[in-house]
């Protein structure tokens, strides 16, 4: 039995990760900050010494800071080649500092049996070591093809936060670069699927695909600027579902529906209209 | 007397700097590797785990590896705001490994009195700590406005290795990005002249200018591919003079005259025909 049906509630060993101002600058550039107007509004994310500007951190860095990613050892023996990243949620308990050290603990929050596939929901809680208080929480669902049929609950439908059937209130377009993944991977995810055409071809892709979490980061930037006045302290949470791979070089348009409640729906579409991130919900102050 | 006229021959304290594979990848992306064809010929410089490809290092990383740049303390009390980088030469004694540690020692090789200005020539010798043998040497001339008149030798004319009056044998064009300096600065030179429009305006520039050594790195890539078959072990030396600032986003064309002697002349021109690096000489096997 590859997947452990009794995994729910199990936690992994805590891991620690220190990060620096430079790590934050590199992350910001990796998700396109400074590309559109390098001399303007994003200098607080791309520089640490501009006159009158204090460096701040893009909230979505929460997805790369925990060391080594989620601990999946509690799930049993998982075939990584059959693993797909379904949803990703980040919840910011406070603004992320430009340097620090976190202690992160993974927990299996749920395990669902979808028939042929299993879906695991992992939560990673990160506290700032300095004061021991929560900094952010990542929640991700992992879709494991061929691992279902163990008799578990089917769980909720993946579809939620559907995009309204009306024009968005904001539409922010960013263009990714053809070499975007080569830069983004320096944040930690060195999977050659995102860089090596030979490896990508083995996986059935015509060329290397962009990291889903890079698309997520571009999207988070758009939400931060459109909804939070570019102020990371107002960014509370972001939830979205990966629905299609993105090729480096594609344009991404983040469509945002904001009813002034502090909860905005969003989806991200590629230049050809393909929805690449769907079911998006952003909460903010 | 700000400049010490007896500085020639003085050496600074050795400094050590360790670097990693990641530092080399970041440097390569900073000088545009992977931008033109991210799935092709430059994966040996931009990735460390592509199938059948071994990571290698761009020779021009020699300009950023020595810790903290050249030691100028032997020159006396130099006004950094009046300092201009004149020439930069790198000499590779062997191929630079993807990780290691160097010990670097600065030496004042010459000091010239140009009348109103002084020109110092600094050599930085770097040995690989692992075996104590020379790895590369950087030589740079520093033009110090207002520091001349101390009665020293005038020294040689700056003009050498003039571009031939005929069409080049190779012309390689790369486009820098508008955010190029934001990425390049992560290699170490955080001078806000290259990122902060407010600071740049104080220096009389309409916007932040690209690092001269970034232009140098783009140029070195062109030389490596055009003259050395993309093989860093064949790259012996590169010498050039900075003649004009480059704005991020400008295209750079490296014009190369190769007479098959293992010594090629080159210059780099911007899109408007302005020569930005001149008097270039590259030697190679």
């Amino acid at each position: 039995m590859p997947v452990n049906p009794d995994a729910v509630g199990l936690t992994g060993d805590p891991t620690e990760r220190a990060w620096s101002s430079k790590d934050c600058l590199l992350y910001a550039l990796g998700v396109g900050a400074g590309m559109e107007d390098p001399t303007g509004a994003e200098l607080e994310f791309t520089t640490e010494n501009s006159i009158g500007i204090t460096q701040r951190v893009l909230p979505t860095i929460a997805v790369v800071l925990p060391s080594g990613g989620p601990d999946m050892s509690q799930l049993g023996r998982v075939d990584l080649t059959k693993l797909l990243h379904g949803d990703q949620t980040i919840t910011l308990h406070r603004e992320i500092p430009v340097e620090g050290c976190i202690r992160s603990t993974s927990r299996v929050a749920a395990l669902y049996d979808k028939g042929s596939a299993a879906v695991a929901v992992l939560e990673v809680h990160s506290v700032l070591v300095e004061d021991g208080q929560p900094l952010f929480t990542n929640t991700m669902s992992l879709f494991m093809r061929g691992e279902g049929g163990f008799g578990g609950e089917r769980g909720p439908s993946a579809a939620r936060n559907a995009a309204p059937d009306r024009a968005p209130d904001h539409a922010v377009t960013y263009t990714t670069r053809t070499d975007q993944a080569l830069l983004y991977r320096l944040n930690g995810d060195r999977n050659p699927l995102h860089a090596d055409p030979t490896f990508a071809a083995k996986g059935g892709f015509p060329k290397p695909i962009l990291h889903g979490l890079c698309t997520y980061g571009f999207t988070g930037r758009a939400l931060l600027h459109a909804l939070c006045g570019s102020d990371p302290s107002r960014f509370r949470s972001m939830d979205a579902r990966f629905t299609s791979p993105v090729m480096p070089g594609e344009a991404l348009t983040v469509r945002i529906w904001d009813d002034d409640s502090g909860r905005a729906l969003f989806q991200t579409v590629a230049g050809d209209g393909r929805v690449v991130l769907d079911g998006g919900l952003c909460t903010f102050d």
Side-chain angles (χ1 to χ4, degrees), chain A residues 43-199:
Chain A
L43 286 174
E44 67 268 46
F45 303 113
T46 58
T47 65
E48 77 296 343
N49 61 355
S50 294
I51 295 170
I53 295 173
T54 301
Q55 186 186 352
R56 300 181 77 176
V57 181
L58 292 173
T60 52
I61 198 172
V63 303
V64 301
L65 284 186
S67 182
D71 182 350
M72 288 184 282
S73 56
Q74 282 70 42
L75 294 176
R77 191 166 46 83
V78 174
D79 182 348
L80 293 179
T81 68
K82 293 187 174 170
L83 197 68
L84 291 173
H85 196 160
D87 295 341
Q88 174 78 38
T89 304
I90 56 172
T91 304
L92 281 291
H93 305 304
R94 47 184 164 150
E95 186 171 348
I96 300 173
V98 297
E99 58 183 16
C101 181
I102 46 171
R103 185 179 302 115
S104 301
T105 310
S106 287
R107 176 177 173 274
V108 181
L111 186 63
Y112 300 121
D113 186 344
K114 299 293 185 182
S116 66
V119 172
V121 178
L122 293 184
E123 289 175 358
V124 184
H125 297 274
S126 295
V127 302
L128 197 61
V129 169
E130 187 180 294
D131 60 15
Q133 297 301 308
L135 186 59
F136 54 77
T137 301
N138 291 309
T139 307
M140 65 208 73
S141 69
L142 300 172
F143 194 87
M144 298 174 282
R145 287 179 288 164
E147 300 288 357
F150 57 86
E153 287 182 31
R154 192 165 179 85
S157 160
R160 62 180 188 276
N161 303 324
D165 188 21
R166 63 178 178 88
D169 300 303
H170 307 278
V172 180
T173 299
Y174 295 132
T175 301
T176 67
R177 297 194 296 238
T178 52
D179 61 340
Q180 197 75 50
L182 295 177
L183 180 56
Y184 185 82
R185 69 197 293 279
L186 297 188
N187 294 299
D189 181 352
R190 302 291 186 93
N191 185 338
L193 176 62
H194 307 297
D196 179 5
T198 305
F199 186 91

